[in-house]
């Protein structure tokens, strides 16, 4: 029997939507399904009080890849938002990422050499030569003061694990600079879609058949026979019935509130780096788009261990999980008719631009 579609795409998030857009351009018939009632996966925005609320956590688009930047800007124009989060510890504010402003506020140093000397002294005192985990990596990059005040509490809340048990690469996501530059990212291009991320998703999925509230696992046999090939963007361990065991993820719970003031914290992102504050950060959504609405919407983020029924956000890429993922990946490699892509199917801490790169690469590999 001839299939109705060339591709069944499971998951209407960024990977699925980009792949679908490429397949459509190549004249392929696609069906995109998503168990949620909405498209866009975790970049979905919800409008409250005229503000685009990042419903599944703050998403700031940044890339150094000109092709990816042009690709998204061809769909929606991006604004000039530059992420400059502030860290709050013991009611004092510090600039992020770690830069001369942070070093000055913390130690009173005014020159790059003084800051470097301070870090070098703290690193020597801690006796770290070859960092083996996140704690050692952090101390070796920025010294013990910054580690204790701005990293340890935040990281242990975010991951629910001791910094000594976490991989070093997580902290390497953050730049350390000896200049007065509060831009959180080093990438050439950065911004937020004007009018919100739904415009990006809607543009990608324009002209493509999408079924929301359609759970692949609820009727696998039915969905499997609809198409010749499949793109799967859900959890890879779930795809294989958890046969080797469950991969671990972190989830985030949001406490979203509308406030009767026009500006609550003066910045889109304020991180609470103390262990005693239960949330990791507060997002004030209007500032992503320089909003002038009379009221404001904030979200407190609480990081938790993922359990069935909650939304998986971050893969926990420690040794045990990576080894487990390798077992699933070996199975996936033997299944050429299914493309596994995105944060959940590749069990990777991807940023949005990397997801787009991967989806475009997958499309090229398909000859699209
Ligand atoms: N981090 C930290 N203090 C901060 C912000 C970040 O220690 O104030 C560390 C923390 O370990 C976190 C990592 O840096 O997991 C990466 O942070 P990023 O902002 O990239 O996380 P995301 O935006 O993906 O949630």
């Amino acid at each position: 029997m001839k299939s109705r579609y060339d591709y069944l795409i499971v998951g209407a998030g960024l990977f699925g939507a980009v792949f679908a857009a490429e397949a459509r351009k190549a004249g392929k018939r696609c069906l995109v399904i998503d168990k949620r009632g909405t498209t866009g996966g975790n970049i979905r925005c919800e409008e409250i009080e005229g503000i685009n609320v990042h419903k599944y956590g703050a998403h700031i688009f940044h890339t150094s890849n000109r092709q990816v930047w042009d690709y998204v800007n061809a769909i929606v124009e991006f604004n000039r938002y530059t992420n400059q989060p502030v860290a709050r510890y013991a009611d004092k504010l510090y600039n992020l990422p770690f830069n001369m402003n942070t070093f000055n506020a913390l130690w009173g140093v005014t020159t790059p050499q003084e800051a470097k000397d301070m870090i070098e002294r703290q690193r020597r005192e801690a006796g770290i030569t070859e960092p083996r985990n996140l704690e050692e990596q952090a101390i070796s990059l920025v010294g013990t003061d910054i580690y204790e005040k701005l990293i340890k509490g935040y990281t242990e809340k975010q991951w629910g694990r001791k910094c000594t048990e976490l991989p070093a690469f997580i902290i390497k996501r953050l730049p350390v600079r000896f200049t007065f530059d509060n831009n959180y990212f080093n990438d050439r291009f950065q911004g937020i879609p004007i009018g919100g991320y739904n415009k990006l998703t809607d543009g990608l999925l324009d002209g493509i058949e999408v079924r929301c509230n359609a759970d692949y696992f609820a009727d696998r046999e039915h969905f499997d026979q609809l198409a010749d090939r499949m793109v799967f963007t859900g959890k890879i361990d779930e795809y294989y019935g958890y046969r080797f065991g469950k991969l671990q993820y972190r989830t985030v719970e949001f406490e979203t509130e509308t406030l009767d003031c026009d500006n609550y914290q003066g910045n889109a992102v304020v991180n609470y780096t103390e262990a005693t504050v239960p949330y990791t950060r507060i997002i004030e959504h209007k500032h992503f788009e320089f909003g002038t609405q009379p009221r404001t919407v904030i979200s407190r983020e609480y990081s938790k261990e993922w359990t069935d029924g909650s939304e998986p956000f971050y893969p926990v890429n420690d040794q045990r999980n990576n080894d487990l993922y390798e077992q699933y990946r070996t199975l996936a490699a033997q299944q050429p008719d299914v493309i596994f892509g995105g944060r959940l199917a590749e069990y990777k801490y991807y940023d949005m631009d990397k997801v787009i790169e991967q989806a475009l690469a997958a499309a090229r590999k398909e000859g699209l």
Side-chain angles (χ1 to χ4, degrees), residues 106-119:
L106 208 58
W107 301 316
V109 295
T110 52
T111 66
Q113 194 55 53
E114 286 169 356
K116 283 181 186 167
D117 290 347
M118 191 65 146
I119 290 170

Side-chain angles (χ1 to χ4, degrees), residues 27-290:
K28 302 292 182 189
R29 296 156 304 157
C30 298
L31 173 66
V32 179
I33 61 169
D34 200 295
K35 68 176 173 186
R36 286 188 188 160
T38 52
T39 57
N42 285 359
I43 67 172
R44 184 81 196 171
C45 288
E46 181 184 10
E47 200 189 303
I48 305 175
E49 299 280 335
I51 298 163
N52 290 310
V53 172
H54 294 209
K55 212 178 155 202
Y56 300 96
H59 282 78
I60 299 135
F61 199 93
H62 55 97
T63 187
S64 292
N65 183 330
R66 158 73 72 183
Q67 189 205 353
V68 168
W69 185 240
D70 289 345
Y71 187 86
V72 293
N73 273 274
I75 298 165
V76 55
E77 204 181 328
F78 277 61
N79 71 13
R80 62 157 189 87
Y81 177 81
T82 303
N83 197 30
Q84 304 190 350
V86 167
R88 183 165 165 159
Y89 179 89
D91 286 335
K92 244 192 106 147
L93 300 178
Y94 300 90
N95 287 111
L96 294 173
F98 312 118
N99 72 79
M100 283 305 296
N101 290 308
T102 330
F103 308 141
N104 174 259
L106 208 58
W107 301 316
V109 295
T110 52
T111 66
Q113 194 55 53
E114 286 169 356
K116 283 181 186 167
D117 290 347
M118 191 65 146
I119 290 170
E120 183 49 35
R121 203 170 74 216
Q122 296 194 355
R123 188 203 331 241
R124 234 180 304 120
E125 277 166 14
I128 293 160
T129 44
E130 284 220 354
R132 288 161 306 173
N133 54 50
L134 196 152
E135 175 174 291
E136 295 184 1
Q137 181 69 65
I139 293 172
S140 113
L141 283 172
V142 286
T144 34
D145 284 342
I146 290 184
Y147 171 67
E148 294 291 343
K149 289 186 177 174
L150 304 182
I151 297 176
K152 190 171 192 288
Y154 186 93
T155 301
E156 295 190 346
K157 280 192 286 187
Q158 160 129 6
W159 296 99
R161 286 156 180 79
K162 297 254 164 281
C163 287
T164 47
E165 289 157 16
L166 285 164
F169 85 88
I170 292 175
I171 201 67
K172 287 202 207 143
R173 284 170 61 85
L174 303 192
V176 178
R177 294 195 194 106
F178 294 91
T179 54
F180 293 88
D181 178 359
N182 296 326
N183 185 344
Y184 201 59
F185 303 114
N186 281 328
D187 286 316
R188 280 179 70 196
F189 311 108
Q190 181 172 177
I192 303 280
I194 296 172
Y197 280 94
N198 297 354
K199 292 208 160 162
L200 178 61
T201 310
D202 292 347
L204 288 166
L205 293 174
D206 189 29
I208 294 163
E209 190 179 339
V210 180
R211 275 188 228 158
C212 286
N213 299 308
D215 183 356
Y216 172 73
F217 293 110
D219 202 353
R220 210 167 170 165
E221 266 175 40
H222 164 69
F223 287 118
D224 279 343
Q225 49 83 34
L226 288 181
D228 300 327
R229 297 177 66 67
M230 169 153 73
V231 174
F232 181 80
T233 70
K235 292 163 66 233
I236 191 167
D237 52 345
E238 186 174 14
Y239 182 90
Y240 288 111
Y242 301 110
R243 70 179 73 168
F244 302 126
K246 285 189 172 181
L247 290 164
Q248 292 176 301
Y249 304 84
R250 296 294 287 173
T251 189
V252 185
E253 280 176 16
F254 301 94
E255 193 175 76
T256 296
E257 240 185 285
T258 301
L259 302 177
D260 213 3
C261 68
D262 69 339
N263 187 5
Y264 173 71
Q265 62 182 15
N267 207 28
V269 185
V270 177
N271 291 358
Y272 286 74
T273 59
E274 272 160 293
T276 48
V277 178
Y279 40 87
T280 49
R281 58 190 175 191
I282 300 183
I283 304 299
E284 187 170 12
H285 301 270
K286 71 193 308 179
H287 297 307
F288 288 125
E289 296 183 66
F290 314 103

Side-chain angles (χ1 to χ4, degrees), residues 220 229-230 239-240 330-340:
R220 210 167 170 165
R229 297 177 66 67
M230 169 153 73
Y239 182 90
Y240 288 111
T330 305
L331 285 186
Q334 294 157 11
Q335 217 171 333
D337 53 335
V338 182
I339 297 158
F340 292 85

